[in-house]
């Protein structure tokens, strides 16, 4: 496995998974993006670890190329559950994450 940053990406421009772990594209700066649109076409999956908005421009571009894309909501929820366990010395059912994500997507984040 080889990991490259955005600077190297413009040179290589091809890989299996593209992960945006920057705040670029997050609300309110939705139009600031880390890469050019056409680079996405060279990947199989796009993960944009942003959760607000629910569907980023990066994810919309992936959809245009029929590439599956995922946002950062699950990571945020799993982090919160783990923090709760660490800070309170508890063990929570991991299925709780799915329920929280469903509620957030359905009722809270209508963006």
């Amino acid at each position: 496995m080889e990991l490259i940053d955005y600077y190297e990406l413009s040179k290589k421009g091809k890989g299996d998974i593209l992960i945006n772990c920057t705040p670029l594209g997050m609300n309110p700066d939705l139009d600031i993006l880390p890469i050019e649109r056409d680079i996405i076409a060279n990947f199989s999956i796009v993960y944009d670890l942003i959760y607000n908005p629910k569907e980023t421009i990066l994810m919309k571009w992936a959809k245009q190329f029929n590439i599956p894309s995922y946002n950062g909501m699950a990571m945020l929820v799993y982090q919160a559950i783990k923090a709760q366990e660490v800070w309170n010395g508890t063990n929570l059912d991991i299925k709780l994450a799915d329920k929280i994500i469903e509620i957030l997507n359905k009722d809270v984040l209508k963006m």
Side-chain angles (χ1 to χ4, degrees), residues 18-64:
L18 176 67
I19 303 172
N20 176 31
C21 52
T22 74
L24 300 178
M26 182 176 250
N27 201 11
D29 297 320
L30 304 175
D31 296 331
I32 302 171
L33 301 168
I35 62 170
E36 298 293 322
R37 180 186 169 273
D38 292 339
I39 290 176
I40 292 173
N42 298 319
F43 290 86
S44 302
I45 298 173
V46 172
Y47 281 96
D48 198 343
L49 297 183
I50 291 171
Y51 57 88
N52 183 9
K54 197 162 50 170
E55 184 180 53
T56 65
I57 291 177
L58 199 62
M59 294 172 67
K60 288 176 183 177
W61 286 350
K63 191 184 290 184
Q64 291 173 359

